[in-house]
Amino acid sequence: MSAPATERESAGVDSPGRARILARTLRQDRWWLSPLLTALGLAAFIIYATVRSFVRTAYYVADYHYLTPFYSPCLSESCVPGSSHFGTPFPELPMWIPLAFLSLPFLLGFRVTCYYYRKAYYRSIWFSPPACAVAEPHARYTGETRLPLIIQNSHRYFFYAAVVISLINTYDAILAFHGKGGGFGFGLGNVILVVNVLLLWTYTVSCHSCRHVTGGRLKHFSAHPVRYWMWTQISKLNTRHMQFAWITLGTLVLTDFYIMLVASGTISDLRFVG
Ligand code: FES
């Protein structure tokens, strides 16, 4: 929440009334470890996702219809045959445009404006502040009241986009129940795709905006028993939102990596049926 204007003007460790402590912090523990690990984890995901989104190789397994989420939906004539589950309304794209150009900005916006990720990168990248009782290096604090951080208020709209993208990922996972010669098929890739999509849904519905959409602004829960029930369940998931945020980064990478290995012929999919 943003501080009132008068409070903001006098904010900071040098403001009147604050103890004169010259050291940046008096903490003796390894307070820097958590922000460091967070920064490394986020950087690893960003590098992997960026490279994979641009390479345009090994993102679709034609035999089993496995499509990595990093290329979904694939809507251009640059997509390999079969990977365009919703047709190809766009022409060939130059290499500097990722094939999932329609969904990636919304996914990125959803994650960047997420309440948990804000906390994570405000601490680990902007040092604002890096940890409790550790002074931040910035002289002024304006919170999320002006550009660029006022854009964080758009998170609720990115939530709706994320629901649509989760529906698309679900459709991709259903289409992947495909055997080599046609008909029904089931392999380890299906398990990975389904687990990934279930966890993506869990992350999406545990969102603070989703919690507000279902139960916010209600004056009388007793008059809205269904919304109250949904709000109660989402509130339980919401307490684990940070874990889901990290788990889904991991499952996205795992899903993409597995499909890359199968699509490139490095390994074969472990088949149970078809
Ligand atoms: Fe994290 Fe909405 S608060 S996705």
Side-chain angles (χ1 to χ4, degrees), residues 27-194:
R27 284 181 65 165
Q28 303 284 316
D29 61 332
R30 294 189 295 170
W31 59 265
W32 44 268
L33 187 58
S34 176
L36 176 65
L37 292 177
T38 302
L40 290 176
L42 292 177
F45 178 80
I46 290 167
I47 291 168
Y48 180 89
T50 305
V51 171
R52 279 294 291 151
S53 298
F54 282 95
V55 292
R56 293 194 184 182
T57 55
Y59 59 88
Y60 181 65
V61 181
D63 283 346
Y64 311 126
H65 293 191
Y66 295 162
L67 175 65
T68 168
F70 288 171
Y71 282 75
S72 178
C74 212
L75 297 171
S76 84
E77 287 168 4
S78 300
C79 303
V80 295
S83 63
S84 304
H85 296 162
F86 300 91
T88 54
F90 296 95
E92 296 255 350
L93 297 174
M95 287 302 287
W96 53 270
I97 299 182
L99 294 185
F101 70 97
L102 213 55
S103 58
L104 286 180
F106 293 103
L107 282 177
L108 192 65
F110 186 51
R111 296 262 172 175
V112 167
T113 60
C114 162
Y115 285 57
Y116 165 67
Y117 286 114
R118 285 191 228 179
K119 172 190 161 188
Y121 65 77
Y122 284 176
R123 287 190 178 186
S124 60
I125 295 170
W126 287 2
F127 306 134
S128 182
C132 293
V134 180
E136 60 181 298
H138 311 288
R140 294 177 67 229
Y141 173 76
T142 55
E144 296 172 342
T145 58
R146 60 187 68 172
L147 282 171
L149 293 187
I150 198 168
I151 295 171
Q152 304 285 29
N153 291 301
S154 61
H155 183 65
R156 70 201 74 171
Y157 306 111
F158 282 117
F159 164 71
Y160 293 115
V163 169
V164 173
I165 294 167
S166 294
L167 285 170
I168 292 170
N169 291 152
T170 306
Y171 185 65
D172 292 339
I174 292 169
L175 285 188
F177 286 96
H178 190 274
K180 198 166 191 170
F184 178 79
F186 176 51
L188 179 58
N190 295 102
V191 176
I192 293 174
L193 279 164
V194 169

